Amino acid sequence: MKEFTWISKPYPRVDAEAKVTGRVRYADDLVLPGMLFCKLLRSHLPHARIRRIDTTRARSLPGVLAVLTGKDLPAHKFGILPTSQDQEALCVEKVRYVGDPVAAVAAIDEWTAEQAVRLIEVEYDPLPSYMTIEDALFKEGEPIHAQGNVHKEVSLEFGDVATGFEEADYIREDIFLYHGSAHLPLEEHAAVASYEPGDLLTVWSSTQVPHYLHRTLSKVLDLPMSRIRVIATPVGGGFGGKSDIFNHEIVVAALAMITGRPVKCTLTREEVFYTLRRHPTLMWVRTGVREDGTITAMHFRAILEGGAYGSYGVATTYYVGALQPITYKIPNYRFEGMRVFTNAPPGGPKRGHGTPQPRFALECHLDKIAEDLGMDPVELRRRNLVAPHTKTVNWLRITSCGLAECLKKVVEASRFHEKHRRLPRGRGVGLAVSGYLSGAGLPIYWNDLPHSQVHLQVDRSGSVTLSCGAIDIGQGSNSVLVYTVCEILGVSPEDVRLIVADTAITPIDLGSYSSRVTFMAGNAALQAAQRMRDLIAAAVAEKLGVPAESLIFQGRQVKVGGGEDRALSWREACEVAEARYGLLSATGTYTPPRLAGPYKGSGVGPSPAYSYSACVAEVQVDEETGVVSVEKIWIAHDIGRALNPLLVLGQVEGSVYMGLGEALMEDLSVRQGVIRVPSMLEYKSPTVKEMPEVEAFLIETVDPEGPFGAKECGQGPLLPVPPAIANAIYDAVRVRIDEVPITPEKVLKALERRRKGEEGRFGPGGFPAIRFKEPIRVAPPSPSSAGRVEPRP
């Protein structure tokens, strides 16, 4: 029997009945010989001290092989960000939200594990709960974390905002609220762990970030990374909800080490609702403009309701303020942001990470300014659009930018000017634009290492093996990697064997988040394929007595260009190269250029390229019921270059679908710590009945940094959809709904207020009277610092 020093009372180990190799389709499909099943006991209180945990009855239940509490594990906290190491695999002293896990059971089947969980006795001392932003800021009592209830505060000023407002002819300010929502993946979170002979821990998980899970398991379990293997199984829906590290992933690993048998945990649908959510965000925005609509200054404030733990929250707080200047020229800009802890499920990244909330506020705010000035909302935006190959006031580098073309395309296709303010009452059109990252410019933990790596191997049969640590979460990144290699080597997809997301046999990729995989892993695959091509070309050129640069790789052949009728088949070319060089192997890596600005906090926001979108929504509003029906969406997306147009259109339409849900119905409300509707039966999301016709346009600007000129498409198109719908509702019935989701009840209340002669609006009434710290003042970049970015070779 082997004992682990971090187990206070070791259990006897049982040798696994079979060594596990190979890949599976989904983590929840994996069944291993001798496998045990794990269930977690979760807190029913939002905030309490743990007085006592008694597992005696659970341990004695037949079929139970192990029971864990937090005291049985190493005292190492974890978190996805180095600055937010505040979670425990199992809570030791205190629970911070309904659903916080306090104990775990491994048993011979799920039914026995559930029985055992019910037999665990926990005594709590309840503490004051903080359920709202106001509670977190002003309510007295023991804070959620020792540092207090304010997790992060940001205050930045670029240029001279006061002077900018003095130069304005008109100033307007508004307040907006964006409620939290669920990721709603069809596949629940699941993980399987096996501790094999030779002390190798293998974890299969439905995760978007196998590399970061690998690091966290090593830290929490006191096990070298070299003895841990993480395999990311194909993800049945992620949207950011599986890009964090979760308790069950660590717990199954610990239980497998203790019992010596494979252990599996699949969360229930209710548990999935409690894992992570989009941050509810309260926003205040003040903008000054000249008579012609040109922006002179903007002041943006936001408070994020962050839930119980840090997650990506520090980065989210910065993202809420960072990307406003990538669409509009804002010469003077001040951002003040704050994230507070509450006794609710953690807020984390969801499609668009931290940017749909401010984009909703900004686009609705600008529509109001256009109305006040008597301006066309299209023209107001057009006059302020950023230009390609420039730098924003907050030092973000813009490369290609097709936003003006996107705007023109949707305005013309929708006949916006023929419809705006001219349709019959109850029908209207609205407009919004947006921009988003093509991958974050910096890794989660700061280092100088590549963000993505690819390994290529070619054998004498012509078979190509492509290895990369990236995981396909439905966005088609596997296909993109294969197409990239095929394009350079002139082979067909069936010639390429792809191995992905296995830390034991694939090179590192940081994960599928921030729309980074096509851009970063694609660039790494491009480099590896070019190096392999150069290697084979040199050998074939020597064989044929021609210059290497004259060779053409196409149609499974290596041909001599210039009209000569000489060629080798792909297989013959590979044989020639292997005879000349031996094993044919090449690697490719990608590290973004250093783009951070000269101030603290500039690490969030930079990206090697930004995508752009413009959207027009046409709606019909029933004034008797308040029901909003979206009739059609026109959306144009600056993709750089579409490597697979069909996949790109699928991503764009998926973003529209998710934006529609957040605009009109999705609301993950937490009442006294309990989610109001933690099931797919009751949580409202669009069905085919609510999904409108979508007319999408792909605008190709061929970005100099992207692989073959490509940019992101998986998240950016969501951003303009909610504000376009909100602006269309105003065009239809002349009421403003300044918070999402825009439910029938809110529409009816706004209409009733308008009928009474009051302001026809529904939204937050105020912003908390808090004093932000003095801002870090940053001088804008000089115009000469933003030269043209030349295309990569």
Side-chain angles (χ1 to χ4, degrees), residues 6-89:
W6 47 265
I7 298 296
S8 55
K9 295 181 180 178
Y11 296 87
R13 293 185 70 232
V14 181
D15 287 338
E17 295 181 27
K19 186 171 182 177
V20 182
T21 57
R23 290 182 57 78
V24 294
R25 179 150 183 79
Y26 294 104
D28 191 40
D29 291 339
L30 184 58
V31 178
L32 306 179
M35 187 158 71
L36 304 177
F37 296 84
C38 168
K39 288 294 179 182
L40 300 173
L41 175 64
R42 298 179 180 271
S43 168
H44 66 284
L45 297 174
H47 196 200
R49 291 203 168 276
I50 300 172
R51 178 186 295 178
R52 182 180 68 91
I53 302 178
D54 187 347
T55 62
T56 305
R57 294 169 63 204
R59 292 180 191 273
S60 63
L61 184 69
V64 172
L65 273 74
V67 181
L68 281 182
T69 67
K71 292 182 178 179
D72 296 321
L73 295 169
H76 298 314
K77 293 188 177 182
F78 70 94
I80 191 70
L81 298 184
T83 57
S84 301
Q85 302 289 299
D86 57 4
Q87 286 187 264
E88 298 164 318

Side-chain angles (χ1 to χ4, degrees), residues 601-635:
S602 65
V604 178
S607 177
Y610 298 94
S611 70
Y612 291 93
S613 305
C615 176
V616 169
E618 184 168 336
V619 306
Q620 184 167 339
V621 182
D622 188 325
E623 295 190 65
E624 292 187 359
T625 64
V627 172
V628 177
S629 300
V630 179
E631 302 291 317
K632 187 170 180 178
I633 295 285
W634 292 264
I635 187 162

Side-chain angles (χ1 to χ4, degrees), residues 292-294 329 375 378-385:
D292 64 357
T294 304
K329 290 178 284 190
M375 279 189 70
V378 177
E379 185 59 27
L380 177 76
R381 288 172 170 84
R382 186 180 289 126
R383 290 185 182 184
N384 289 287
L385 294 182

Side-chain angles (χ1 to χ4, degrees), residues 157-469:
E157 182 170 332
F158 306 92
D160 189 337
V161 171
T163 300
F165 280 121
E166 289 175 3
E167 295 172 353
D169 297 314
Y170 177 74
I171 297 172
R172 181 182 176 101
E173 60 184 60
D174 289 293
I175 301 174
F176 300 91
L177 177 62
Y178 204 105
H179 282 283
S181 57
H183 298 81
L184 215 65
L186 288 179
E187 178 211 27
E188 295 98 333
H189 297 57
V192 177
S194 174
Y195 195 67
E196 303 171 23
D199 296 336
L200 176 66
L201 173 67
T202 303
V203 175
W204 294 261
S205 182
S206 176
T207 179
Q208 295 176 230
V209 286
H211 172 62
Y212 292 124
L213 176 57
H214 192 196
R215 289 172 55 88
T216 301
L217 289 170
S218 174
K219 175 190 174 182
V220 176
L221 300 177
D222 279 337
L223 201 61
M225 289 179 70
S226 59
R227 288 169 53 196
I228 302 173
R229 178 186 187 186
V230 174
I231 301 173
T233 58
V235 176
F239 317 115
K242 295 174 183 174
S243 62
D244 212 326
I245 311 300
F246 298 100
N247 309 78
H248 68 281
E249 295 171 315
I250 299 169
V251 167
V252 294
L255 287 169
M257 293 175 68
I258 290 167
T259 62
R261 291 173 60 172
V263 180
K264 176 181 184 176
C265 183
T266 301
L267 301 189
T268 65
R269 177 59 60 184
E270 183 173 359
E271 286 179 302
V272 172
F273 272 92
Y274 281 92
T275 56
L276 216 58
R277 63 193 173 124
R278 191 188 290 289
H279 285 81
T281 306
L282 181 66
M283 295 157 288
W284 172 91
V285 57
R286 184 172 189 249
T287 301
V289 297
R290 294 192 173 92
E291 288 182 356
D292 64 357
T294 304
I295 296 172
T296 62
M298 182 179 292
H299 187 176
F300 199 100
R301 286 177 171 169
I303 304 179
L304 292 75
E305 192 257 284
Y309 295 104
S311 183
Y312 285 83
V314 170
T316 314
T317 306
Y318 281 106
Y319 273 132
V320 168
L323 299 192
Q324 279 79 303
I326 70 167
T327 49
Y328 300 115
K329 290 178 284 190
I330 305 172
N332 304 286
Y333 179 57
R334 185 169 182 171
F335 170 63
E336 294 169 317
M338 181 181 290
R339 184 181 191 264
V340 297
F341 290 118
T342 58
N343 295 118
K350 186 185 175 187
R351 202 171 194 167
H353 189 189
T355 61
Q357 300 98 315
R359 185 54 55 178
F360 171 76
L362 180 59
E363 294 298 315
C364 292
H365 175 65
L366 291 178
D367 238 51
K368 294 181 183 185
I369 290 176
E371 176 88 358
D372 295 345
L373 296 178
M375 279 189 70
D376 171 15
V378 177
E379 185 59 27
L380 177 76
R381 288 172 170 84
R382 186 180 289 126
R383 290 185 182 184
N384 289 287
L385 294 182
V386 296
H389 307 291
T390 57
K391 273 192 178 178
T392 67
V393 69
N394 57 337
W395 291 80
L396 301 181
R397 186 198 68 176
I398 308 296
T399 53
S400 61
C401 176
L403 185 52
E405 191 175 348
C406 288
L407 183 59
K408 179 181 179 182
K409 194 73 175 179
V410 295
V411 167
E412 290 178 351
S414 64
R415 305 197 332 267
F416 182 84
H417 287 119
E418 297 176 31
K419 298 176 180 179
H420 190 244
R421 302 292 190 266
R422 298 179 182 181
L423 291 174
R425 185 169 179 81
R427 294 184 61 205
V429 290
L431 170 76
V433 305
S434 66
Y436 194 64
L437 317 161
S438 293
L442 289 172
I444 285 175
Y445 59 98
W446 285 50
N447 60 75
D448 294 324
L449 300 171
H451 290 211
S452 190
Q453 300 170 314
V454 164
H455 179 250
L456 270 184
Q457 187 170 315
V458 175
D459 65 27
R460 65 190 67 178
S461 71
S463 174
V464 181
T465 300
L466 165 61
S467 302
C468 181

Side-chain angles (χ1 to χ4, degrees), residues 212 319 323 326 352-353 396-397 399 435-444 451-452 475 509-523 590-593 595-596 602-611 637 703 705-707 710-716:
Y212 292 124
Y319 273 132
L323 299 192
I326 70 167
H353 189 189
L396 301 181
R397 186 198 68 176
T399 53
Y436 194 64
L437 317 161
S438 293
L442 289 172
I444 285 175
H451 290 211
S452 190
Q475 81 278 40
D509 178 85
L510 297 185
S512 293
Y513 61 92
S514 294
S515 283
R516 58 175 300 283
V517 178
T518 291
F519 201 98
M520 298 193 181
N523 265 323
Y590 180 76
T591 304
L595 298 169
S602 65
V604 178
S607 177
Y610 298 94
S611 70
H637 183 66
D703 191 83
E705 290 277 321
K711 299 195 286 190
E712 81 85 35
C713 67
Q715 302 188 62

Side-chain angles (χ1 to χ4, degrees), residues 136-156:
L137 291 172
F138 306 121
K139 187 175 179 179
E140 294 184 358
E142 180 178 322
I144 297 169
H145 291 277
Q147 71 188 66
N149 289 338
V150 175
H151 177 211
K152 181 65 179 179
E153 184 180 347
V154 177
S155 187
L156 297 166

